Structure formats: structure tokens, C-alpha cells
Amino acid sequence: MLQVQQLVKHFGGIRAVDGVSFEVSAGECVALIGPNGAGKSTTFACIAGQYDPTAGQIAWRGQALNKLGPAARLRHGVARTFQVAQVFEALSVLQNVQLSMQVQIGLKAISTFKILDSQSREAAFALLAQTGLQALASHDALSLPYGAKKRLELAVALAARPQLLLLDEPAAGLAEAERVSLMQLVKSLAGQGMAVLYTEHNMDAVAGVADRVLVLIEGRLAAQGSFEEIARDSTVRRLYLGEGLVQGAAHA
């Protein structure tokens, strides 16, 4: 279980996150949403290890994460993706996944490219099949369309065998059909027992996907519950979702 307790983050005199507490259990898919400037990106970065909290506690499976950097968190089973997909563009799609699988054993840079192609091929192909990329295995990552890059970044994260997956706006920049397909894949990961926490602006990537939704407004947790429950919350409707968007999502 991910436990976030009274999380606070200041930037000078700005209180970006102000006493946020929540939990995410194994097998649960949770969306973190809110208007621009609400503190969701800062909250996410504190959990992922890019920011040190000003106060509060973050723990995963009983292990305190506050003092651990992103690499150490990965060793504890916490992996993340970014809003703008980050992959190794000089490598092939398959090599990206193979490299992620091998990074824990400390490959030497001088020999990496000579031995990488023979490493973990079967497991890497299985991950590409899971993420719908098997037909692109030999393609250079640089040449991929953006939707495929988002899937590849997810495959690279999954190659580290995380138990907690943090996704920063996984649907950003994707066409509707790509969003639906990717978010169903994300939902299936939670169905396999993984804990998934993701930030998102697209409500069609939240409704029908997230088991629970957390709404941040002005650095505080304003509401939480199912999408239908937070959509009925008067404060959330007034300050964030709006009447028209809520009604549209309800009929989607």
C-alpha cells in the first residue's frame, strides 16, 4: 500500500501542497486530478522522488520513501512515466525494453551495445506484446509516432517489474482511440494486482478507468471517491469540472 500522510511542499512562500493524505492499495487504479496549479504535479513528483517534501510522510509497503531518490525507489518497486514520453531514441523498441530489464545488473557502457541484443529477448518480446508494440520491435524509437512512444515508455517502466506504477498524464497528446486503448491497458495492470496512481486532465481517461479519483484544489484534497461521486460534488463542479463536462462524461 502507498501511504501519503500530511504531505506539504513549499516553494519559497508558495504552499503548493498543503497537508494532503491518501492511500493507494495493490490492485487499485487511482486518478489524481485538479485544475492547473492545484498541486497534483507537485504531489506526484514528491511521491516519485523528484522533489523532497517540506513535511509529511510517504511510504510504500511500510518502507519510508522520503529520503530515497528515484533510482532507490525503483529498487523498491516504484516506477514512473512522464507527461512527455521519455525513451532511448538511439535504441530500437526491443532494445529499450531489454536495457530496462538489464539496468539493475549494471552493464558497462563500453560493452552494452555488443551484448544487449542477446539479453532477455523472450521477456522483452512478451512486454512488447502486452503493450501492443511487438510489430515495431525492430524500429528505432526515434521514428515512432507519439502514441507508440507513450506505450514504449510504459513498457520500459513495466520492464523494471514495479508493484507501484506512477503515470504522469498517460493520455496527454493522444488521439481519442489511442487514449481509450492505452487507458484500458492501464486499468488491466491494476486488475493484475499492481497499484496504479496517475495524474490526468482528460476526463475520458478517468471516467470508467479509475477505481477512485482524488481531486486537488489549491494544494488540498477537496474530494475523493468514484468518478460519479466526485462529479456530483458541488465544489468540484464549481471550481473544476463544470456542469457541461460532467454531464458529457456521464453519458460517455
Side-chain angles (χ1 to χ4, degrees):
M1 178 182 291
L2 172 68
Q3 296 175 303
V4 178
Q5 298 178 335
Q6 292 299 310
L7 182 66
V8 175
K9 180 60 180 177
H10 295 173
F11 295 99
I14 299 173
R15 200 176 180 96
V17 180
D18 189 9
V20 170
S21 298
F22 62 87
E23 297 177 347
V24 181
S25 299
E28 192 176 24
C29 186
V30 177
L32 181 64
I33 68 172
N36 290 332
K40 60 185 181 298
S41 294
T42 301
T43 298
F44 193 85
C46 287
I47 296 170
Q50 276 72 42
Y51 291 156
D52 292 326
T54 303
Q57 297 295 321
I58 301 169
W60 166 243
R61 301 174 71 180
Q63 168 68 50
L65 299 182
N66 288 49
K67 302 299 183 181
L68 302 181
R73 294 182 197 212
L74 184 61
R75 290 193 290 273
H76 285 282
V78 181
R80 72 158 295 175
T81 66
F82 294 83
Q83 181 178 347
V84 178
Q86 297 187 14
V87 298
F88 300 103
E89 294 187 335
L91 300 179
S92 72
V93 170
L94 179 61
Q95 287 172 333
N96 266 267
V97 178
Q98 288 174 297
L99 182 59
S100 181
M101 287 179 166
Q102 294 300 310
V103 71
Q104 298 295 331
I105 65 174
L107 292 177
K108 295 181 179 179
I110 193 170
S111 62
T112 296
F113 292 102
K114 294 181 180 179
I115 68 172
L116 185 59
D117 284 336
S118 65
Q119 302 300 306
S120 305
R121 287 181 65 86
E122 185 174 341
F125 270 115
L127 266 179
L128 294 184
Q130 182 181 5
T131 51
L133 292 170
Q134 64 270 41
L136 300 174
S138 63
H139 290 223
D140 291 338
L142 179 63
S143 68
L144 294 179
Y146 189 67
K149 281 187 179 179
K150 294 285 276 191
R151 285 180 174 270
L152 178 56
E153 186 187 36
L154 178 57
V156 168
L158 293 176
R161 299 180 180 178
Q163 293 86 46
L164 171 61
L165 185 61
L166 307 173
L167 306 175
D168 192 358
E169 297 196 27
L174 301 183
E176 182 179 358
E178 290 178 316
R179 281 202 305 271
V180 171
S181 176
L182 182 63
M183 295 314 298
Q184 287 305 308
L185 173 58
V186 169
K187 186 176 179 64
S188 75
L189 295 172
Q192 297 166 22
M194 193 177 297
V196 179
L197 175 67
Y198 69 101
T199 64
E200 195 49 69
H201 278 294
N202 292 295
M203 290 303 99
D204 61 353
V206 177
V209 177
D211 300 309
R212 188 158 47 93
V213 182
L214 311 173
V215 185
L216 289 185
I217 296 177
E218 296 182 350
R220 297 182 178 181
L221 188 61
Q224 64 175 306
S226 68
F227 182 80
E228 292 75 19
E229 288 170 338
I230 65 100
R232 291 193 296 266
D233 187 284
S234 59
T235 300
V236 175
R237 291 169 71 157
R238 177 171 53 87
L239 296 179
Y240 181 42
L241 291 178
E243 299 292 339
L245 182 57
V246 169
Q247 291 171 1
H251 291 90

